[in-house]
Amino acid sequence: MALATIVVLVILLVAALYGVVIYNALVALKHAVAQSWANIDVLLKQRNDELPKLVAVAREYMTYEQQTLDRVTRARTRAEAAQRSGDMAALGAAEGELRLGLGQLFAVAEAYPELRANEVFNQLARRISGLESAIADRREFYNAAVNRNNVRIEQFPDILVARALGFKPFDLLEFDVTELQDVDVRALFRS
């Protein structure tokens, strides 16, 4: 009888230790997602701080392109609101619109030689382009962390611990389909 009790206790101890290992791995994944999002958040804030400066410099030269400037400003506002709320679907849509607006802004700027020659505009444009590239890189890391988390909490036996302790899946950060489309530069100059 004592041997059976010892075997049961050892099995329970091993199961408990395995549960702790799973729990710790799930916590690490959850924090990896949070860290990845924090990295994107910092870059989005930096880019959003630079955009008004770029629009202000462009506005001095582009008196007839108010619609393009307004589009960038509205998209920035929507992106900031979605970022603050943590709504990945809304952020993805707003970011897609913002990227499209920036592409149009840079394309329209080509028609203004004085603006293209403006060093402040060029520095801001390079800074924003660099931030856009960094955001794309960080989005890849974020989505990879989300994917690892989501897969892990659905695998057996991790799903048992994840459900029991309330671990939830995260949403991927996906940008709008319009981001994949090329900017129609001819149409920009016709409008």
Side-chain angles (χ1 to χ4, degrees):
M1 193 61 154
L3 183 59
T5 304
I6 292 173
V7 169
V8 169
L9 289 175
V10 167
I11 290 172
L12 289 175
L13 180 64
V14 168
L17 290 174
Y18 189 63
V20 168
V21 168
I22 290 174
Y23 172 79
N24 289 340
L26 293 174
V27 167
L29 288 172
K30 180 177 78 168
H31 287 285
V33 170
Q35 179 186 12
S36 297
W37 170 247
N39 290 340
I40 291 173
D41 193 47
V42 166
L43 292 171
L44 289 173
K45 286 177 184 172
Q46 288 175 353
R47 197 255 339 259
N48 289 341
D49 289 344
E50 298 291 333
L51 281 174
K53 297 172 192 172
L54 181 74
V55 169
V57 171
R59 187 167 278 145
E60 291 178 27
Y61 293 93
M62 302 169 77
T63 55
Y64 300 107
E65 305 297 341
Q66 190 62 37
Q67 182 180 2
T68 301
L69 297 172
D70 289 344
R71 181 178 188 175
V72 170
T73 303
R74 283 192 311 272
R76 174 187 173 262
T77 302
R78 279 194 290 283
E80 283 182 324
Q83 178 186 351
R84 281 191 302 274
S85 70
D87 182 350
M88 292 301 147
L91 179 61
E95 282 292 316
E97 186 178 334
L98 183 57
R99 280 183 164 70
L100 185 62
L102 280 172
Q104 291 175 338
L105 176 64
F106 292 145
V108 168
E110 292 295 316
Y112 293 85
E114 308 87 25
L115 180 58
R116 283 183 300 166
N118 184 298
E119 187 58 33
V120 173
F121 180 83
N122 288 326
Q123 286 175 348
L124 288 168
R126 282 192 301 272
R127 170 91 171 121
I128 289 172
S129 293
L131 287 168
E132 290 295 323
S133 295
I135 289 167
D137 290 342
R138 296 301 181 256
R139 182 180 80 179
E140 184 178 337
F141 289 130
Y142 173 80
N143 284 341
V146 165
N147 189 52
R148 282 190 304 274
N149 178 77
N150 293 351
V151 166
R152 185 83 190 253
I153 65 173
E154 291 180 11
Q155 290 178 330
F156 185 82
D158 297 15
I159 191 170
L160 302 174
V161 174
R163 282 189 182 166
L165 298 176
F167 284 88
K168 302 284 185 211
F170 291 95
D171 293 328
L172 293 171
L173 179 54
E174 299 175 312
F175 292 157
D176 196 0
V177 176
T178 58
E179 180 180 285
L180 303 175
Q181 300 171 352
D182 288 336
V183 175
D184 184 1
V185 177
R186 286 187 194 160
L188 291 174
F189 287 106
R190 278 186 254 135
S191 58

